[in-house]
């Protein structure tokens, strides 16, 4: 009875004490009860009801700042002149300065060239896992390993599940057991899948994708370098919608110096009507929204992320595409036409070595690139394919081989027409790359009035070369030029244009550079009256030559000078 009375008298106090004790337990930062109530990862914050996270690895970034040596911080480097002979040998088989690559650390540091807002960008705390797939054929040792090591070092380890290197029948010794042993010892997350024969990069990627177990497939070329925090920006759009494929910004690793630099700050991918990869300007609304992901019609091809589920729903790549070429169009058309989306993620940057020249010999005699292009055109492009064949009638003579599987993919996924793609996705492509080319202002030979035996001569030079010479006029192709409706001047049917990178009053060199149709350094006008070829917006500079040294250059216009006067074989007077 006494006990009961005591209880009745003090029960409120007891309740208060128990309540306070509970509050203390719950609030205590170290107590496990707290975790039971709200288990939360370190660094996760709630933004608009979403759990987000800063994925930067600040410790790793700090370590990088201490690294010293050639190529560190993404700087360019040079080889000791005593290595000139080795340099040439390595160049020949790789198409880039592979000997220099060997002097640069496999884990060299890079400078952060991302948009400043990328430093603060948070990503969803729950992201899918990724497999990196790298097809390679006779890749150089250090560039191949730098690809894998940079991907691994700069990715959160719980997100990168595996790195699959697919050896497309390489013949270099060190790509055999030595590579397996190296990976087992230094990078166990990576392994090599070997193909029995040269299958080409497309089927090599398919084979890698079949071996992958992660949620997202990330394809990389075998001479790339993944930069700071490259992975989360590729995964987030896929976490939001699995039918989104995501491309990083592709930076340039210089083929000669290994300098890591930006190509530009973003363009949308496209193609011209001969299937050359081209790029379109970023839309004004995307520009305002930088560095958020923006839609892009066509991927460059080598570097992108796609959910494994979506990839296989689309039937993967067409396995009938051989060796190299066309697969970037196939997959881009498929993604868009079959109800997906493609974006570029500016905060993910990956460098790529654009080779100086292609080192592999053509492995087969037949015209596989034309067949690849034609397979893609026949399956996906409907009536628009005629604009390719109009320019490349030769493609109509190659046998596409069986297309029924590919047509079935299109049918099964109830994919849109190509017209839909052109009107809704690549809506500004025709403005830049018209279905039918407008006529040239001038074309044919460019004959010197000062010495009519002499004509401008390409000497079969290519991209980056200096166009510097006159030759004895002839109807052969190296003397054929066009001044196009885009006001650029180029060797006939070439994709390289006369470019004056550094204008000066006397003898400025003319270089051949990829045509950009953006006027500026590539703008030319012909005045049939004075016969002068003006450079730029009548800036007062003209194409000139020396009939004795046979040099060609740009100099201040002088209407009295006969070396500045030229005769085209054909001038459109309309
Ligand atoms: C571009 C793409 C490339 C691919 C190609 C068109 C970028 C940066 N690169 O050419 O990924 O889309 O256009 O098909 O967007 N390889 C093989 N077997 C072969 C030939 C190549 O495994 O028979 C490997 C090669 O080692 C490399 C990759 O495939 O890792 C791409 O080849 P590439 O670097 O010669 O192509 P690239 O960059 O000129
Ligand atoms: Mn490449």
């Amino acid at each position: 009875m006494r006990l009961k009375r005591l209880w009745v008298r003090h029960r409120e106090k007891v309740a208060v004490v128990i309540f306070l004790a509970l509050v203390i337990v719950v609030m205590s930062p170290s107590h496990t009860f707290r975790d039971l109530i709200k288990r939360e990862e370190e660094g996760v914050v709630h933004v608009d009801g979403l759990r987000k996270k800063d994925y930067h690895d600040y410790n790793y970034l700090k370590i990088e700042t201490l690294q010293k040596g050639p190529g560190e911080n993404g700087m360019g480097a040079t080889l000791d002149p005593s290595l000139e002979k080795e340099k040439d040998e390595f160049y020949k088989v790789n198409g880039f300065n592979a000997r220099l690559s060997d002097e640069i650390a496999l884990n060299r540091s890079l400078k952060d060239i991302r948009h400043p807002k990328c430093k603060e960008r948070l990503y969803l705390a729950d992201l899918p896992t990724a497999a990196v797939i790298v097809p390679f054929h006779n890749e150089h040792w250090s560039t191949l390993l730098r690809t894998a090591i940079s991907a691994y070092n700069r990715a959160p380890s719980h997100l990168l599940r595996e790195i699959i290197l697919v050896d497309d029948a390489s013949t270099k010794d060190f790509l055999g057991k030595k590579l397996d042993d190296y990976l087992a010892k230094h990078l166990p997350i990576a392994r090599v899948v070997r193909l029995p024969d040269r299958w080409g990069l497309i089927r090599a990627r398919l084979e890698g994708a079949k071996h992958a177990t992660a949620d997202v497939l990330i394809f990389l070329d075998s001479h790339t370098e993944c930069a700071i925090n490259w992975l989360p920006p590729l995964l987030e759009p896929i976490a939001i919608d699995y039918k989104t494929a995501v491309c990083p910004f592709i930076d340039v690793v210089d083929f000669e110096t290994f300098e890591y630099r930006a190509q530009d700050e973003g363009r949308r991918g496209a193609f011209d009507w001969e299937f050359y990869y081209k790029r379109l300007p970023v839309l004004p609304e995307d520009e305002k929204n930088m560095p958020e992901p923006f839609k892009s019609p066509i991927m460059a091809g080598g570097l992108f992320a796609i959910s494994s589920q979506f990839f296989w729903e689309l039937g993967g790549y067409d396995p009938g595409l051989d060796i190299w070429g066309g697969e970037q169009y196939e997959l881009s058309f498929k993604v868009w036409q079959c109800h997906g989306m493609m974006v570029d993620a500016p905060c993910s940057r990956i460098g790529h070595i654009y080779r100086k020249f292609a080192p592999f010999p053509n492995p087969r005699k037949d015209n596989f690139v034309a067949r690849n292009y034609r397979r893609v055109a026949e399956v996906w492009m409907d009536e628009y394919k005629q604009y390719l064949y109009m320019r490349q009638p030769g493609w109509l003579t190659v046998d596409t081989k069986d297309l029924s599987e590919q047509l079935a993919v299109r049918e099964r996924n109830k994919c849109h027409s190509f017209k839909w793609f052109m009107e809704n996705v690549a809506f500004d492509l025709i403005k830049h790359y018209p279905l039918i080319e407008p006529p040239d202002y001038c074309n044919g030979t460019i004959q010197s009035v000062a010495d009519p035996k002499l004509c401008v001569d390409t000497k079969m030079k290519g991209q980056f070369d200096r166009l510097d010479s006159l030759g004895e006029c002839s109807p052969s192709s190296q003397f054929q030029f066009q001044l196009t409706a885009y006001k650029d001047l180029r060797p006939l049917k070439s994709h390289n244009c006369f470019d004056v990178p550094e204008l000066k009053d006397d003898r400025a060199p003319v270089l051949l550079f990829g045509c950009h149709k953006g006027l500026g350094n590539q703008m030319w006008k012909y005045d049939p009256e004075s016969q002068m070829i003006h450079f730029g917006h009548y800036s007062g500079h003209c194409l000139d030559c020396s009939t004795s040294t046979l040099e060609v250059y740009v100099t201040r216009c002088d209407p009295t000078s006969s070396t500045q006067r030229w005769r085209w074989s054909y001038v459109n007077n309309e």
Side-chain angles (χ1 to χ4, degrees):
M1 279 316 274
R2 210 169 142 240
L3 250 163
K4 196 178 173 191
R5 239 183 293 128
L6 261 175
W7 170 242
V8 171
R9 201 180 304 151
H10 295 290
R11 65 184 165 192
E12 280 88 10
K13 284 180 205 147
V14 172
V16 167
V17 168
I18 292 173
F19 176 76
L20 284 176
L22 260 175
V23 167
I24 289 165
V25 160
V26 168
M27 299 294 286
S28 131
S30 61
H31 206 283
T32 49
F33 278 143
R34 181 173 182 265
D35 292 5
L36 283 179
I37 293 165
K38 194 173 172 228
R39 192 183 290 279
E40 203 52 294
E41 273 173 73
E42 215 184 314
V44 172
V45 293
H46 291 251
V47 185
D48 303 332
L50 295 169
R51 299 171 65 250
K52 294 200 173 180
K53 204 169 133 173
D54 177 358
Y55 280 90
H56 286 99
D57 183 344
Y58 292 104
N59 280 335
Y60 186 75
L61 288 173
K62 203 179 286 166
I63 293 168
E64 280 205 330
T65 60
L66 304 173
Q67 292 179 197
K68 297 264 172 307
E72 291 296 338
N73 202 25
M75 302 286 274
T78 46
L79 272 178
D80 192 278
S82 66
L83 296 170
E84 201 61 29
K85 207 170 140 248
E86 279 180 48
K87 175 181 164 179
D88 288 349
E89 277 163 24
F90 280 98
Y91 239 113
K92 259 183 235 133
V93 285
N94 295 288
F96 55 79
N97 194 351
R99 184 63 189 80
L100 175 65
S101 172
D102 295 346
E103 298 295 312
I104 296 173
L106 294 176
N107 65 344
R108 72 147 162 187
S109 54
L110 294 176
K111 52 181 164 281
D112 187 358
I113 60 171
R114 295 172 304 168
H115 189 289
K117 282 192 186 157
C118 298
K119 291 190 175 56
E120 284 122 49
R121 179 72 154 78
L122 306 178
Y123 297 90
L124 291 176
D126 298 305
L127 290 174
T129 58
V132 164
I133 299 166
V134 183
F136 68 93
H137 173 72
N138 279 342
E139 183 59 59
H140 186 64
W141 173 261
S142 54
T143 44
L144 175 64
L145 284 174
R146 196 173 291 113
T147 301
I149 289 173
S150 64
Y152 174 74
N153 281 351
R154 297 199 179 92
S157 51
H158 70 288
L159 293 181
L160 184 55
R161 176 173 287 179
E162 56 207 338
I163 299 176
I164 302 172
L165 308 177
V166 189
D167 180 358
D168 187 14
S170 297
T171 50
K172 292 177 177 173
D173 256 3
F174 57 75
L175 294 172
K177 185 166 180 310
K178 183 175 169 198
L179 179 61
D180 292 336
D181 291 349
Y182 182 94
L183 295 174
K185 188 158 173 221
H186 299 283
L187 197 64
I189 189 179
R191 65 184 194 277
V192 185
V193 170
R194 292 206 164 75
L195 305 180
D197 248 320
R198 177 93 178 263
W199 286 8
L201 80 93
I202 298 130
R203 271 175 283 157
R205 282 190 196 150
L206 275 172
E207 191 60 21
K210 284 181 196 154
H211 280 78
T213 61
D215 308 317
V216 171
L217 310 172
I218 297 185
F219 296 98
L220 298 179
D221 271 14
S222 50
H223 32 254
T224 54
E225 228 173 313
C226 299
I228 299 162
N229 211 28
W230 66 279
L231 183 58
L234 294 182
L235 297 177
E236 189 177 73
I238 298 174
I240 295 167
D241 177 357
Y242 86 101
K243 289 191 176 181
T244 302
V246 192
C247 300
F249 269 18
I250 305 182
D251 290 322
V252 174
V253 175
D254 191 282
F255 57 72
E256 171 67 26
T257 66
F258 277 69
E259 180 197 11
Y260 187 106
R261 60 170 184 270
Q263 176 163 203
D264 52 39
E265 289 312 309
R267 315 267 279 148
R268 292 153 55 243
F271 56 87
D272 72 5
W273 299 99
E274 286 175 87
F275 264 169
Y276 281 93
Y277 186 72
K278 296 286 172 187
R279 299 172 89 211
L280 301 169
V282 166
L283 303 173
E285 61 264 35
D286 299 333
E287 203 68 73
K288 265 194 236 133
N289 215 13
M290 283 288 177
E292 289 308 301
F294 56 87
K295 291 179 193 164
S296 174
I298 303 286
M299 64 167 79
L303 289 58
F304 68 98
I306 188 167
S307 101
S308 166
Q309 184 188 340
F310 191 40
F311 184 71
W312 293 118
E313 281 174 12
L314 297 174
Y317 285 115
D318 167 8
L321 301 179
D322 206 5
I323 304 292
W324 184 100
E327 91 295 342
Q328 68 275 53
Y329 303 125
E330 192 220 7
L331 196 57
S332 306
F333 296 161
K334 263 191 202 180
V335 164
W336 281 111
Q337 287 175 249
C338 308
H339 315 288
M341 172 159 91
M342 214 161 55
V343 296
D344 275 16
C347 290
S348 177
R349 304 191 78 128
I350 303 181
H352 170 258
I353 306 175
Y354 291 90
R355 291 179 224 271
K356 191 170 182 190
F357 53 84
F360 320 124
N362 181 345
R364 313 248 163 90
K365 277 191 212 81
D366 72 346
N367 191 353
F368 58 86
V369 179
R371 183 171 55 247
N372 291 354
Y373 287 170
R374 187 152 181 229
R375 283 182 75 88
V376 175
E378 290 294 327
V379 176
W380 297 100
M381 292 178 76
D382 307 328
E383 69 277 15
Y384 285 79
K385 66 189 177 196
Q386 64 176 303
Y387 299 106
L388 298 173
Y389 300 150
M390 207 161 79
R391 294 170 173 87
Q392 294 284 355
W395 294 357
L396 283 170
T397 63
V398 294
D399 177 8
T400 58
K401 302 193 182 156
D402 183 23
L403 293 172
S404 50
E405 282 285 312
Q406 305 315 308
L407 293 165
V409 168
R410 185 166 169 177
E411 184 58 40
R412 191 168 65 237
N413 288 284
K414 306 260 167 300
C415 307
H416 287 295
S417 66
F418 199 74
K419 186 161 188 283
W420 177 91
F421 171 81
M422 290 302 293
E423 288 174 356
N424 294 278
V425 182
F427 44 80
D428 53 343
L429 187 145
I430 286 178
K431 192 174 102 201
H432 295 267
Y433 302 100
L435 295 172
I436 293 169
E437 250 359 281
D440 294 336
Y441 286 116
C442 310
N443 60 34
T445 52
I446 311 175
Q447 184 186 27
S448 165
V449 170
D451 182 348
K453 279 199 311 301
L454 297 173
C455 286
V456 179
D457 181 356
T458 63
K459 290 252 165 76
M460 306 309 276
K461 290 190 173 179
Q463 165 103 300
F464 312 123
D465 287 335
R466 183 167 171 192
L467 184 115
D468 55 0
S469 166
L470 295 176
E472 195 126 331
C473 297
S474 115
S476 75
S477 66
Q478 74 193 66
F479 292 95
Q480 302 295 318
F481 297 88
Q482 55 189 143
L483 179 57
T484 71
Y486 308 102
K487 301 197 166 96
D488 55 30
L489 184 50
R490 36 176 118 179
L492 189 65
K493 290 190 185 287
S494 169
H495 289 259
N496 293 320
C497 278
F498 286 30
D499 191 305
V500 182
E502 272 178 81
L503 189 58
K504 49 182 182 174
D505 284 346
D506 189 33
R507 304 196 174 198
V510 180
L511 264 55
L512 284 174
F513 229 84
C515 301
H516 56 49
K517 296 189 181 175
L519 304 172
N521 285 358
Q522 295 186 352
M523 181 181 177
W524 302 85
K525 282 183 184 169
Y526 181 61
D527 175 11
E529 288 278 297
S530 65
Q531 296 180 305
M532 292 161 89
I533 298 178
H534 290 262
F535 170 69
H537 297 264
Y538 288 115
S539 61
H541 293 82
C542 287
L543 194 72
D544 199 351
C545 65
S546 155
T547 50
S548 53
T549 64
L550 303 183
E551 279 176 291
V552 175
Y553 37 76
V554 163
T555 298
R556 261 209 166 272
C557 301
D558 172 5
T560 64
S561 155
S562 65
T563 54
Q564 292 190 5
R565 292 173 57 200
W566 306 93
R567 196 172 291 126
W568 282 88
S569 352
Y570 166 81
V571 180
N572 183 354
N573 286 317
E574 275 168 40

